[in-house]
Amino acid sequence: QLQIKSFARFVEKSGRRDVRLTLVGGVRNQGDKDRVDQLKQLAETLQIEDLVEFKVSIPYSELHHILSDSLIGLHTMWNEHFGIGVVEFMAAGIIPIAHNSGGPKQDIVVPGSGFLASTEEQYADHIIRVLEMDEEELEDMRKKARNHVTGTFSDAYFRTVFIEKCVADLDMDLRWIEELGELCGEEEFEEYD
């Protein structure tokens, strides 16, 4: 609901009706179908149904096309542990406006790589801000975002950090074993070698 309400607030504040909100997601069961119907009803109630498009359970090729044509990615989930959707936005060159909580706040959206918001008003203001940015500002933000996510969340970075952590733990274990050997006396310690 926060995405639709924030978008409606943006339309109200800016007077712009040339921007569209595309909601993309999967529908797994009747509960999900009911939620989509409720969101469609909300868009009608807020009189923005002509500006909101629902893309449900679409193939990857269509998702890729949508991402390549998008400027802004709204992420409104409160206190999400990580926020892979935000990382995907940033990697795709989409300016993220993510919820100011959880993983997006702690690890993903760093200064200059996107925006954080909590309220409809904040989301609307950030949408306006992004739409007012010139191409140089947009490109700078995209570059910072891509560099951050490819440098922090890539497989190569994960392997490097994981190996460093394992080596550090192994080194600590070896020092602990050496200290244990000194405390126990070498002959008693050799039984555990």
Side-chain angles (χ1 to χ4, degrees), residues 121-166:
E121 194 74 22
Q122 291 170 341
Y123 277 97
D125 288 344
H126 289 314
I127 294 169
I128 291 168
R129 169 71 181 107
V130 172
L131 293 174
E132 290 175 347
M133 293 170 82
D134 63 36
E135 194 55 43
E136 186 177 325
E137 289 176 292
L138 290 170
E139 195 51 43
D140 184 52
M141 187 167 281
R142 287 181 181 122
K143 184 177 179 182
K144 285 178 184 173
R146 278 191 183 121
N147 287 343
H148 174 60
V149 297
T150 58
T152 306
F153 304 112
S154 68
D155 289 341
Y157 180 79
F158 175 78
R159 279 191 298 274
T160 300
V161 171
F162 181 76
I163 289 169
E164 287 173 0
K165 176 74 173 135
C166 288

Side-chain angles (χ1 to χ4, degrees), residues 75-181:
H75 182 275
T76 57
M77 184 176 187
W78 174 79
N79 216 21
E80 183 171 6
H81 291 91
F82 182 64
I84 192 64
V86 180
V87 172
E88 290 171 344
F89 289 155
M90 294 165 78
I94 297 171
I95 307 297
I97 304 174
H99 200 278
N100 192 16
S101 65
K105 177 181 181 179
Q106 293 174 344
D107 303 314
I108 301 172
V109 180
V110 297
S113 69
F115 299 95
L116 294 170
S118 300
T119 66
E120 296 167 25
E121 194 74 22
Q122 291 170 341
Y123 277 97
D125 288 344
H126 289 314
I127 294 169
I128 291 168
R129 169 71 181 107
V130 172
L131 293 174
E132 290 175 347
M133 293 170 82
D134 63 36
E135 194 55 43
E136 186 177 325
E137 289 176 292
L138 290 170
E139 195 51 43
D140 184 52
M141 187 167 281
R142 287 181 181 122
K143 184 177 179 182
K144 285 178 184 173
R146 278 191 183 121
N147 287 343
H148 174 60
V149 297
T150 58
T152 306
F153 304 112
S154 68
D155 289 341
Y157 180 79
F158 175 78
R159 279 191 298 274
T160 300
V161 171
F162 181 76
I163 289 169
E164 287 173 0
K165 176 74 173 135
C166 288
V167 168
D169 287 349
L170 181 60
D171 186 46
M172 181 176 275
D173 288 345
L174 292 174
R175 281 183 295 194
W176 181 81
I177 291 170
E178 289 170 4
E179 289 173 14
L180 182 62

